[in-house]
Amino acid sequence: MRTHRINFRELLRILALAGAMLASQAGIAADVPAELKSTACLSCHETGKKKISVPGPDDKARTLAPVHRGKLGKSVHASMECVACHTDIVDAKEKHEKAPNVAKPDCATCHAKLWDEAKANPAGKERLGIVAQNIDAYKASFHARPDTDHPERPKAVCGECHATHEFAVPKKGTPEREQWRLTIPKTCGEKCHEEQLEDYEGSVHGKLTMGKDDPKGAICIDCHTTHEIRGASSDPFKLKNVEACGDCHTDELHSYRDTYHGQVNKLGYTYTAKCSNCHGSHGIAKVDDPASKVHVKNRLKTCQECHNEKKGLPLATEGFITFGPHANGHDFDKYPQMWIATKFMVALLIGVFAFFWLHCGLWYYREWQERKAHKTVSRVSTEALGLAKPEKHFQRFAWGWRVAHLAFALVTMTLVITGTSALFSSSSWAPLVAAAVGGPKVLGIIHRVAAALFVGIFMIHFVYVMQRLLRSKTFRWFGPDSLIPNWKDFADCWGMFKWFFGMGPKPQFERWTYFEKFDYWAVFWGVNIIGWSGLMLAFPHITAKYFPGWVFNVATLVHGEEAFLAAVFLFTVHFFNNHFRPDKLPPPDVVMFTGTQSIEEFRKEHPAHYRRLVESGELDKYLVDAPSRQMHIGSVILGLVLITLGLVLLVLVATGFFAH
């Protein structure tokens, strides 16, 4: 028989270890009775043991969920004793005698209490704060509402989505997280949403996640969120759902925002088409799938779900089929018309702004240099202020021109604010404007009424001018009194650039300068480009009856870009030419409100016209009394108000452009 000799040091080590274990057990026992340890609980409730049933709702038996020891050990609750949550359990009997007046385990209450305790020293406990935020989101969610069949309890509680005993959501960016994502559809579908799961399983998303185990496919929480679940028919859900789709389909979201559907949606309204209206929700299929709602054979029917008489819209016609809700200007193979239109509009904007901003900058510099050298005299004189005997003025504009100009100014500003609110719907100010007038529908009505007034004023002016010119026997179409560009205008423009650089004298302008003619004819261009494109968009069912759907894409692009060009040009170039040149300061120039200007100012700005009238003896026919002081002051106030409004609109348009 062999005997083992144990040295004294080893014996002490064993005794010390045993003492420590006993002390540890004694410490734990001070908090939790030995019979209520997790090990005791697992002896009955562990996976693989006999199923345990208890009375459930409506006196039906309910089987308790078993606890997997291995998974529990890896969960966030691994270090906790069962009775830390199950505080109503006071014994280890087969049929527990529960403590009176003790609430059943509740995840939300427990975690809220833990976060309240941790707030004093939150370092290292940030996760508890996130859980607390999730609890608040859940309480306001659709799941927290009373169940229809059992109003005494909510539609869903934490334990129905989370395995409470084995809870362990892996960190983002890890392979474990991706595998965890794949379990979500079954968690949602098999317990509550069976029909939606069936549709999802056959969808383009479901075929990835459930068919190929590819976690890149969209799952329930990508669209519905995790805790902030809202009713799918609510506006907050519909708005957020579009953004959720855009998290993966970035290019498609951007192109959708360029359509009127997307602009209204971004303003915060949900009555226009959204992703789910066209593609469906749970059963989304590829475009070339015959079952897809956007398949070429199904597309018109899909459009008519919204564009029909019951929804207050004319019935969608054939052209809707070829409309590109995701058309863009950088894919020539797929959208050649948009590519061409985009390149044309970009070239137009760059060309116009590059030329005229350079023109303004050089003009400002040249006049400022001459002003510093005292080569010019301010146009403001004591006579104009009424401090001396008023002099005769030259009548430059009749009352009809002035009224038309004022009406154009007010209508144009209305068109700019209402139109750019939709065009730049992603800006911070556009939703405020839409809400202030009562929403995009009212915004659209105001825009169309203003457009009709603009075209009406333009047509009245055009007919009036044409009938006068056609009846005149002395008018020359390319003469000095005509607004039609001629060779002198090109010579004057070249001469101005030479003057800018000190290479020649300033040109002698006739009745109309080349930049005034550009302003005038720009209206003709704008009315046709903006007007016709807007008309096609205002009556889509008629447009789509005679034209292919890509016309809508091009019309939307041209309408918005041309309107942007007009607005920025007016509030920069036009304002500079007429109000902000050093020789015009201080603003405003009121000739378009009073209709007259001093002889001195007329002779300075239009020397060729002045000389022609003097030589022909016709100058006296255009001389009138200077406007009264009241008229002048009123014109100054009106001019300053309009300039201020224009500059405010310019700031809004600029911020909207950069936000877009």
Side-chain angles (χ1 to χ4, degrees):
M1 180 176 181
R2 297 180 62 184
T3 60
H4 297 276
R5 296 178 64 187
I6 302 176
N7 65 39
F8 187 68
R9 289 182 179 179
E10 289 179 347
L11 180 60
L12 287 177
R13 188 179 299 156
I14 292 172
L15 291 174
L17 180 61
M21 292 177 65
L22 288 172
S24 175
Q25 292 294 330
I28 294 173
D31 295 326
V32 180
E35 65 274 11
L36 295 181
K37 296 294 182 184
S38 295
T39 52
C41 298
L42 289 174
S43 65
C44 294
H45 292 277
E46 186 178 3
T47 300
K49 302 291 184 179
K50 182 182 177 181
K51 291 183 179 181
I52 301 175
S53 297
V54 297
D58 302 326
D59 295 326
K60 292 182 180 179
R62 178 174 65 90
T63 302
L64 297 180
V67 181
H68 192 285
R69 187 185 294 268
K71 292 181 179 180
L72 176 63
K74 296 178 182 179
S75 75
V76 294
H77 298 144
S79 61
M80 296 177 59
E81 295 290 345
C82 301
V83 291
C85 293
H86 297 273
T87 54
D88 56 334
I89 303 299
V90 295
D91 60 40
K93 297 178 182 179
E94 181 177 348
K95 293 185 178 180
H96 301 295
E97 291 183 9
K98 298 181 180 180
N101 302 321
V102 177
K104 292 182 178 180
D106 178 58
C107 304
T109 302
C110 181
H111 279 282
K113 181 181 178 182
L114 289 172
W115 175 237
D116 287 338
E117 295 171 354
K119 284 179 181 178
N121 185 22
K125 302 174 183 178
E126 291 80 6
R127 179 62 186 168
L128 283 174
I130 296 175
V131 175
Q133 292 175 7
N134 291 340
I135 292 170
D136 292 337
Y138 163 77
K139 288 179 179 179
S141 74
F142 185 78
H143 280 164
R145 295 179 185 178
D147 184 74
T148 305
D149 297 328
H150 300 280
E152 73 281 359
R153 64 172 184 254
K155 292 181 181 293
V157 295
C158 308
E160 292 178 275
C161 300
H162 299 288
T164 52
H165 299 109
E166 305 156 6
F167 183 77
V169 177
K171 291 182 179 180
K172 290 183 178 180
T174 62
E176 292 78 12
R177 176 77 170 208
E178 293 185 346
Q179 292 304 310
W180 171 79
R181 279 176 54 85
L182 295 174
T183 67
I184 300 297
K186 286 189 176 182
T187 298
C188 299
E190 292 181 350
K191 292 184 178 180
C192 301
H193 305 286
E194 296 91 348
E195 292 182 8
Q196 289 82 359
L197 178 63
E198 184 178 350
D199 291 339
Y200 171 81
E201 192 169 6
S203 74
V204 65
H205 294 145
K207 288 177 181 178
L208 279 176
T209 58
M210 302 182 74
K212 298 180 180 180
D213 291 333
D214 186 347
K216 293 181 181 178
I219 59 173
C220 314
I221 60 173
D222 292 324
C223 302
H224 294 274
T225 72
T226 50
H227 299 90
E228 194 182 356
I229 308 292
R230 291 190 171 101
S233 60
S234 66
D235 283 349
F237 172 81
K238 292 177 180 178
L239 293 172
K240 200 163 187 177
N241 189 243
V242 171
E243 301 296 333
C245 295
D247 287 341
C248 295
H249 304 282
T250 309
D251 291 340
E252 287 75 12
L253 178 63
H254 182 76
S255 54
Y256 167 73
R257 292 285 185 227
D258 289 335
T259 67
Y260 183 70
H261 293 153
Q263 291 166 353
V264 170
N265 184 267
K266 192 61 180 176
L267 287 173
Y269 298 81
T270 62
Y271 61 82
T272 54
K274 300 163 291 299
C275 312
S276 58
N277 294 115
C278 301
H279 295 277
S281 50
H282 299 98
I284 297 172
K286 291 185 176 181
V287 177
D288 56 1
D289 188 333
S292 172
K293 291 186 67 177
V294 291
H295 186 271
V296 66
K297 292 184 178 179
N298 304 326
R299 202 171 296 165
L300 182 58
K301 183 179 179 182
T302 299
C303 293
Q304 289 176 343
E305 289 177 2
C306 295
H307 289 266
N308 61 67
E309 288 80 0
K310 291 182 179 179
K311 296 290 183 70
L313 296 172
L315 188 67
T317 47
E318 291 295 323
F320 278 65
I321 297 174
T322 52
F323 166 66
H326 297 294
N328 58 71
H330 56 262
D331 189 343
F332 178 80
D333 293 334
K334 201 170 183 179
Y335 308 107
Q337 300 88 357
M338 279 291 286
W339 187 91
I340 294 171
T342 300
K343 296 298 180 287
F344 173 78
M345 291 307 302
V346 169
L348 180 65
L349 265 66
I350 293 176
V352 170
F353 289 138
F355 178 84
F356 281 100
W357 285 350
L358 176 64
H359 188 276
C360 292
L362 293 173
W363 196 349
Y364 185 91
Y365 176 78
R366 179 65 176 174
E367 278 198 5
W368 188 259
Q369 290 299 107
E370 291 195 350
R371 192 179 181 93
K372 285 172 61 177
H374 305 290
K375 290 183 179 180
T376 59
V377 180
S378 173
R379 66 185 178 88
V380 179
S381 62
T382 55
E383 289 82 5
L385 295 175
L387 302 178
K389 184 178 179 180
E391 62 179 8
K392 289 287 184 178
H393 271 216
F394 178 81
Q395 185 170 24
R396 182 155 166 76
F397 298 106
W399 70 268
W401 288 76
R402 289 143 53 195
V403 171
H405 176 271
L406 179 59
F408 265 133
L410 296 174
V411 170
T412 298
M413 290 180 179
T414 303
L415 287 170
V416 170
I417 188 63
T418 54
T420 54
S421 295
L423 180 63
F424 300 131
S425 57
S426 56
S427 65
S428 58
W429 56 266
L432 300 178
V433 173
V437 301
K441 290 183 179 179
V442 179
L443 205 66
I445 292 172
I446 296 173
H447 190 76
R448 292 183 180 93
V449 170
L453 290 173
F454 190 96
V455 173
I457 297 167
F458 170 82
M459 293 304 298
I460 292 172
H461 164 80
F462 180 73
V463 171
Y464 171 76
V465 170
M466 289 303 297
Q467 61 89 19
R468 285 200 63 183
L469 297 183
L470 291 173
R471 289 190 300 177
S472 174
K473 296 180 180 180
T474 59
F475 178 75
R476 291 181 295 159
W477 290 95
F478 291 95
D481 291 315
S482 175
L483 277 162
I484 298 176
N486 54 42
W487 288 114
K488 184 181 184 321
D489 296 313
F490 292 100
D492 286 348
C493 182
W494 177 248
M496 279 290 280
F497 275 92
K498 291 175 68 176
W499 174 68
F500 292 155
F501 293 100
M503 298 172 64
K506 188 176 182 180
Q508 301 290 296
F509 293 124
E510 251 291 349
R511 181 176 181 179
W512 307 111
T513 65
Y514 63 90
F515 49 87
E516 288 174 332
K517 290 183 180 181
F518 185 90
D519 284 355
Y520 182 77
W521 289 103
V523 177
F524 283 76
W525 166 268
V527 165
N528 280 280
I529 299 299
I530 301 176
W532 285 109
S533 59
L535 197 63
M536 287 191 288
L537 295 171
F539 300 97
H541 61 295
I542 298 176
T543 303
K545 188 175 181 180
Y546 300 101
F547 297 98
W550 59 260
V551 169
F552 291 124
N553 300 114
V554 173
T556 301
L557 170 73
V558 171
H559 190 78
E561 296 298 309
E562 180 62 31
F564 172 77
L565 170 62
V568 176
F569 183 90
L570 281 171
F571 304 139
T572 57
V573 178
H574 182 73
F575 274 16
F576 172 82
N577 290 344
N578 293 280
H579 303 290
F580 292 118
R581 288 189 283 120
D583 203 30
K584 289 280 190 179
L585 296 176
D589 184 351
V590 296
V591 63
M592 207 60 195
F593 304 114
T594 63
T596 69
Q597 59 185 165
S598 67
I599 297 294
E600 176 189 1
E601 187 173 4
F602 169 59
R603 181 174 55 190
K604 181 180 178 181
E605 292 194 355
H606 301 272
H609 188 201
Y610 172 81
R611 186 170 59 252
R612 180 164 60 88
L613 292 178
V614 170
E615 291 174 355
S616 65
E618 296 181 279
L619 181 62
D620 290 343
K621 292 181 1 183
Y622 298 95
L623 296 183
V624 295
D625 291 335
S628 65
R629 182 177 177 82
Q630 292 82 356
M631 179 68 173
H632 178 77
I633 293 174
S635 298
V636 169
I637 294 172
L638 177 60
L640 289 175
V641 169
L642 292 177
I643 289 174
T644 302
L645 290 176
L647 294 178
V648 169
L649 289 175
L650 178 63
V651 172
L652 295 180
V653 169
T655 55
F657 173 78
F658 289 110
H660 182 72

